[in-house]
Amino acid sequence: MSILQRKTSLPMPSPVMVREEFIRATGIAPEHLEELLGLGWLETYAGGADQCLFRDTDIYRVRKLSRICCDFDLPVLGGTIIVDLLERIDTLERMVARLRRFEED
């Protein structure tokens, strides 16, 4: 008898979800979701039975957008611009940090 624990393999959570799950996870109104899709701000993927699938990483983006629009009383288009700029700043800050570590080595 082995004292080592057996590793059970659980299925990996899916990185995509159907529309209803996405709406529930983000709390976004369906008409606002349609607006974001119309702007091309969110990407969907084709699923079976003509379903649109959404990425789980977009949950955070949509929640951030909702907070910014609500806090600053902005229209959706203005909020999407701000979220995009914040994401670009974050990417640039990570690149600068990597370059600084490279210089130190």
Side-chain angles (χ1 to χ4, degrees):
M1 183 161 134
S2 174
I3 61 171
L4 297 176
Q5 290 182 343
R6 261 194 256 171
K7 292 184 179 181
T8 59
S9 61
L10 298 173
M12 293 291 296
S14 175
V16 293
M17 64 189 71
V18 295
R19 177 187 176 90
E20 293 77 21
E21 286 179 296
F22 189 76
I23 288 172
R24 203 170 33 253
T26 59
I28 191 171
E31 59 271 7
H32 288 144
L33 179 58
E34 288 302 319
E35 186 176 1
L36 294 175
L37 291 170
L39 290 171
W41 196 70
L42 288 176
E43 288 183 38
T44 60
Y45 302 93
D50 295 329
Q51 287 184 328
C52 290
L53 299 175
F54 296 86
R55 296 180 309 173
D56 60 355
T57 54
D58 285 329
I59 293 171
Y60 176 73
R61 292 178 77 222
V62 170
R63 287 181 180 170
K64 183 187 286 190
L65 173 67
S66 295
R67 281 194 317 273
I68 287 172
C69 289
C70 184
D71 290 350
F72 297 106
D73 196 27
L74 292 173
V76 172
L77 183 59
T80 59
I81 293 169
I82 290 172
V83 171
D84 287 343
L85 289 172
L86 289 172
E87 289 173 348
R88 291 171 82 181
I89 290 168
D90 184 52
T91 300
L92 291 171
E93 285 177 341
R94 278 192 253 128
M95 289 173 68
V96 168
R98 270 189 255 131
L99 288 171
R100 284 186 178 147
R101 283 194 301 271
F102 181 72
E103 286 177 352
E104 292 173 356
D105 291 336

